Each structure stands twice: as structure tokens, then as C-alpha cells.
């Protein structure tokens, strides 16, 4: 009598194992190897289709398959694989909430990490537009657009049809797309000026203080969010300060596949955060 086989466990029945992105290994940028992996995971996803409602990456893939001659992944032109990659904004939802084939499942399917790898390959090949490089430099754009007077001009221009048409022509930003306002009185300036009356009290588990990492959006575009956080914390007698040295978190550069820029941002932010944590 043969022994019964141990059933394969679904990956997402427990916390998934996340393998580190091996982005400094030369094989990571090998396009042929990448396309083999893309074909493998696209084929699994085509047979599953569970993530169809999450974002536009999956419907793009399934349309490409359904409209191909074979109605299988082998009927999709390799060049069209990029269309799926371009639709992924790396939110991680498919990995964290849907996919039964994430590691430790033997199929070892990590859709977002594979999209990230494809974006990094594209960036390294220089196939990223100047527009994308500019728009993903959120800290530089924010610091320029947030200069007093300039911010008013930028906000006015963003509301005018004629300048929006120019913006659409030059940068490809749709003239009807909602754009955030820019503030010269940034969240970091407000936090620096804020006079607190709170005397934080440490507990067994906390120092009774928080440091706010404002982010580019919170700092330049929506400082009122940071004002609100400050009010809520102080209402609860929690002392608030700003992170002393903050640069962009790097997420826009990650979506671009510019992993060196992400590493630079990380190397600047993490020591500043750790220092503040160590100081309480
Ligand atoms: S990580 Fe990418 S593919 Fe997955 S749900 Fe988010 S946007 Fe879609
Ligand atoms: S990522 Fe996983 S759950 Fe989503 S379609 Fe692909 S195989 Fe299915």
C-alpha cells in the first residue's frame, strides 16, 4: 500500500513568508530570466483570476490572454507584458489578502515583487520618461512649488483651463485630474513653530511621546492632516515632535523602479528615526 501524500498547504492560511528582494544580484536585471518568471506567474494568475477586482493590472492581463489567438498566456506578445507591469502600483493587496500561492506554497508566487523587479529592469534600461522622473521627485517638486508666492501661482495655474491644457500636453497630466494644492506653510514648519503645553508621561511600555514623519504629501499638500494628528495626540496628553531629518520615503521612486534612489532615501531616514526612538 502506498503512503498518502501530504497535501500542499495554501500559502495564505498563515502569515506569508516574504523573501527579500534580491535587487543587488545581477540575475535580478536579466531580462530573459525576468520574462520567464513573468510568463510563469501570468499563467498561474490566468488560471486563477481571483484578483480581477483589485486593480487594473489583472484585468489588463486577462484581456490580453482572452483576446490572444490561443486564449492562453503563450498567445500574448512578450512586449505586451509591460502593459500589466505599468498598471501595478505596488499596493501589495494581492499578496497580502488574496493569493493562495504565496510562499511557503511551493509555487512561490509573489506578484508585487515580480512587478517591482520588472519596473527596476525597465528603469535600468533607461526606458523611463523624464516626466515620470520629475513627477516622482515629490520632495523636489514640493519644495519648489511650496515657496511662498510660487505656491499661490502654482495653485492658481492648476485651476486654470489653459495652463492645465499645457500641463496635459507637456507632462501628460490629464486636464481634469484633481491635483493637490501646495502650501508654503508646510507641516514641518508648523510643527517647528508649535509651542506645546504637554508634559509627556512615560509608561511601562511607551515614552509618552511620538515623532511625526509628515511625508511629502502631508508636508507640502495636506498639512491640515498633520495639524489634526497633533491635536488628537495632545488631547490625549501625548507629546509630539517632528522627525528631525526627513526626506521622501522613496515610494514614488520605488514605483518607478529606481531602487538606488529608494536605498538613498532609506539610508537618510532610518538613522534619523532610530536616533529619535533611542532618545525616547
Ligand atoms: S500589488 Fe499591484 S498587482 Fe497587486 S493588487 Fe496592488 S496594484 Fe494590483
Ligand atoms: S496573484 Fe494569486 S490570487 Fe491573484 S490572480 Fe494571481 S494566482 Fe490568483
Amino acid at each position: 500500500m502506498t503512503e498518502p501524500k501530504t497535501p500542499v498547504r495554501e500559502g495564505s492560511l498563515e502569515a506569508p513568508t516574504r523573501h527579500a528582494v534580491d535587487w543587488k544580484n545581477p540575475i535580478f536585471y536579466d531580462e530573459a530570466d525576468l520574462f520567464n518568471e513573468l510568463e510563469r506567474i501570468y499563467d498561474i494568475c490566468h488560471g486563477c483570476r481571483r484578483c480581477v477586482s483589485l486593480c487594473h493590472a489583472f484585468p489588463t492581463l486577462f484581456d490580453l490572454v482572452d483576446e490572444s489567438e490561443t486564449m492562453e498566456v503563450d498567445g500574448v506578445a512578450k512586449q505586451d507584458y509591460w502593459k500589466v507591469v505599468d498598471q501595478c502600483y505596488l499596493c501589495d493587496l494581492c499578496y497580502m489578502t488574496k493569493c493562495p500561492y504565496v510562499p511557503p506554497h511551493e509555487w512561490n508566487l509573489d506578484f508585487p515583487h515580480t512587478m517591482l523587479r520588472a519596473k527596476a529592469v525597465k528603469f535600468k534600461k533607461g526606458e523611463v520618461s523624464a516626466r515620470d522622473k520629475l513627477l516622482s521627485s515629490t520632495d523636489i517638486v514640493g519644495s519648489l512649488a511650496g515657496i511662498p508666492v510660487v505656491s499661490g501661482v502654482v495653485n492658481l495655474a492648476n485651476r486654470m483651463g489653459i495652463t492645465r491644457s499645457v500641463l496635459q500636453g507637456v507632462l501628460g497630466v490629464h486636464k481634469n485630474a484633481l491635483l493637490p494644492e501646495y502650501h508654503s506653510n508646510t507641516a514641518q514648519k508648523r510643527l517647528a513653530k508649535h509651542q506645546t503645553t504637554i508634559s509627556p508621561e512615560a509608561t511601562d511600555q511607551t515614552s509618552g511621546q511620538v515623532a511625526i514623519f509628515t511625508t511629502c504629501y502631508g508636508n507640502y499638500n495636506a498639512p491640515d492632516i498633520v495639524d489634526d494628528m497633533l491635536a488628537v495626540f495632545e488631547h490625549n496628553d501625548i507629546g509630539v515632535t517632528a522627525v528631525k531629518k526627513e526626506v521622501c520615503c522613496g515610494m514614488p521612486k520605488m514605483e518607478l523602479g529606481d531602487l538606488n534612489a529608494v536605498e538613498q532615501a532609506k539610508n537618510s531616514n532610518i538613522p534619523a528615526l532610530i536616533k529619535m526612538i533611542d532618545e525616547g
Side-chain angles (χ1 to χ4, degrees), residues 123 128-145 182 216-217 220-221 247-254 256 258 261:
F123 185 85
V128 171
S129 65
R131 163 207 115 117
D132 286 353
K133 285 185 186 159
L134 174 70
L135 292 181
S136 61
S137 300
T138 46
D139 45 359
I140 295 172
V141 174
S143 58
L144 293 176
Y182 284 91
C216 298
Y217 184 74
Y220 298 112
N221 304 118
V247 300
C248 173
C249 69
M251 190 63 203
K253 294 295 181 191
M254 188 140 126
L256 205 61
D258 183 358

Side-chain angles (χ1 to χ4, degrees), residues 10-27:
E10 279 204 359
S12 62
L13 292 180
E14 57 203 78
T17 309
R18 200 81 201 246
H19 300 303
V21 179
D22 195 14
W23 69 284
K24 293 199 171 166
N25 188 336
I27 193 75

Side-chain angles (χ1 to χ4, degrees), residues 54-55 57-58 87-94 111-112 115:
L54 290 185
C55 64
F58 292 99
Q87 294 297 332
C88 171
Y89 43 89
L90 304 173
C91 74
D92 232 16
L93 263 188
C94 51
F111 201 93
M115 296 296 106

